[in-house]
Amino acid sequence: MAYTRRLAWIALLFGILSLVSPTVTTSAGCPGDRSHLIPRFGGHWFLLGANVPWLNGGFGADFGTVEEWNQHTYDANATRSMFRALRQQGANTVRWWLFADGRGAPEFNANSGGAVTGLDANFLPSLASAIQIASEENVYLVFTLWSFDMLFADSTPYDRGEHAGGHRDLIVDSAKRASFINNALLPMLRYPVGTSGYTIGTHPNVLAWDIFNEPEFGISESPHFSPASEVTQPVTLAQMQRFIAEISGAIHRNSNQLTTVGSASMKWNSSRALGASGNFWSDAQLTVYDPQGYLDFYQIHYYGWMNGDERYWSYSPLFNDWYEAGFDKPVVIGEVPSNAGGTNRTPTQLLAELHANCYAGVWVWPYFNVNDGTGQWSDAQAAVRSLASVAPQEVQIVSSPLTVRVYIPLAIK
């Protein structure tokens, strides 16, 4: 481990932070061409912002509708207020969940194991509205499609909603995977965003698609994977890799936007981090299922349990910088606690050190308090403002028109 080198970088960055100098354009010791950052619009960018697993308390109901409860929580005014609050502190991106466990969208032809039939009447207009507001407020969006919650036990209408959980077949059944792609994903990518002339799949303010939140917690395969306790319908690693690859390939063929996966930890996304199991989301692992099923950048999550003993194991991006972890693509730290709990850092120190360690971005968890001890946006906003002020040329994204990809019909496997 190049621990001494990392400490030198951190000391330098903290010195810069104390001066609040606007001239810094890249982290000390990181590639001068910014190739460790996210490529977009002819430049390379550091993604800085927050997670929105739900708006106004409506898990899975921001864009879709939980019909049993008549719950649809999207609100244009609340969305604009949130985007403005983020931009005022220098943030540039939001990671926002869409389907989660399937309770609100898409629509299914059966409660458990059903094929996808489409999207409800609220979903696409609400999504287009959020994108239009993001454009007006200069915020870029990363939409998370699914979470390991989709593999929970099938729910009742009075528990989590009639269609929450019970969707293992969507991953393991080729016809049902195709039903999601053809009846939900592609109509979403092709839907127009107001009078902008863009579709959702071509809009510049849709930066990327996060195909799956923490897929490792939905996998049962010794010795590297053990499903979360609530997951009653786990899948194998190969089944999850095929699902992610086919979704990513469809997005690459039908949009000009990027793809990623919200890996629960660098334990499963790094070949060299101390004690890590390996990189299960590399091109080599995914393109065997779809030649265009690669990810454009990696995304790992970081919480205090990953610190380890720093002798035999540590999955912390504070201990393993981008070089030491052996990443072959830019890496965004997709979740960190807003209050920096468990990291032995203040929020300002946490964000500054991740930047100094050559990661490509950080999204604090969450924007709205979800009562899990991680805090909320107000805990992190000063740290975001501080980092944005010292690296403006990395954080202030400058957009440009993008080329639309040509549609290639899906071949069901």
Side-chain angles (χ1 to χ4, degrees), residues 266-282:
M266 72 162 62
K267 175 181 180 179
W268 299 288
N269 206 160
S270 169
S271 59
R272 293 204 329 233
L274 188 63
S277 298
N279 185 357
F280 297 102
W281 314 118
S282 67

Side-chain angles (χ1 to χ4, degrees), residues 61 64-73 122 157:
T65 305
V66 183
E67 287 87 356
E68 299 84 6
W69 308 338
N70 193 31
Q71 184 186 36
H72 174 68
T73 56
N122 289 319

Side-chain angles (χ1 to χ4, degrees), residues 222-376:
S222 181
H224 299 303
F225 300 95
S226 179
S229 59
E230 303 96 330
V231 170
T232 63
Q233 303 178 356
V235 299
T236 68
L237 173 61
Q239 288 167 338
M240 184 64 78
Q241 287 171 328
R242 179 183 288 274
F243 180 75
I244 289 170
E246 290 189 5
I247 302 304
S248 185
I251 292 170
H252 284 142
R253 286 186 288 272
N254 292 277
S255 83
N256 49 23
Q257 294 152 349
L258 309 178
T259 65
T260 188
V261 160
S263 178
S265 170
M266 72 162 62
K267 175 181 180 179
W268 299 288
N269 206 160
S270 169
S271 59
R272 293 204 329 233
L274 188 63
S277 298
N279 185 357
F280 297 102
W281 314 118
S282 67
D283 291 358
Q285 296 278 348
L286 297 178
T287 57
V288 293
Y289 301 108
D290 186 314
Q292 292 181 273
Y294 57 86
L295 304 177
D296 294 286
F297 63 93
Y298 298 134
Q299 178 203 153
I300 59 174
H301 298 170
Y302 168 56
Y303 294 95
W305 70 265
M306 303 175 200
N307 291 336
D309 58 15
E310 297 188 359
R311 180 181 178 187
Y312 296 105
W313 72 276
S314 177
Y315 313 136
S316 167
L318 300 173
F319 183 77
N320 302 276
D321 67 29
W322 182 71
Y323 290 106
E324 292 163 337
F327 291 115
D328 59 347
K329 296 185 181 187
V331 181
V332 173
I333 312 303
E335 292 183 17
V336 298
S338 293
N339 60 12
T343 69
N344 302 315
R345 309 289 195 279
T346 67
T348 297
Q349 291 170 336
L350 173 62
L351 269 58
E353 192 168 340
L354 292 172
H355 180 257
N357 280 2
C358 303
Y359 289 103
V362 57
W363 299 318
V364 299
W365 175 276
Y367 184 82
F368 296 105
N369 192 344
V370 297
N371 297 315
D372 63 356
T374 57
Q376 58 189 340

Side-chain angles (χ1 to χ4, degrees), residues 80 84 129-139 203 205:
R80 190 178 297 278
R84 284 187 177 176
S129 170
I131 295 167
Q132 180 61 40
I133 295 170
S135 176
E136 294 166 2
E137 300 297 334
N138 195 27
V139 168
H203 201 287
N205 287 79

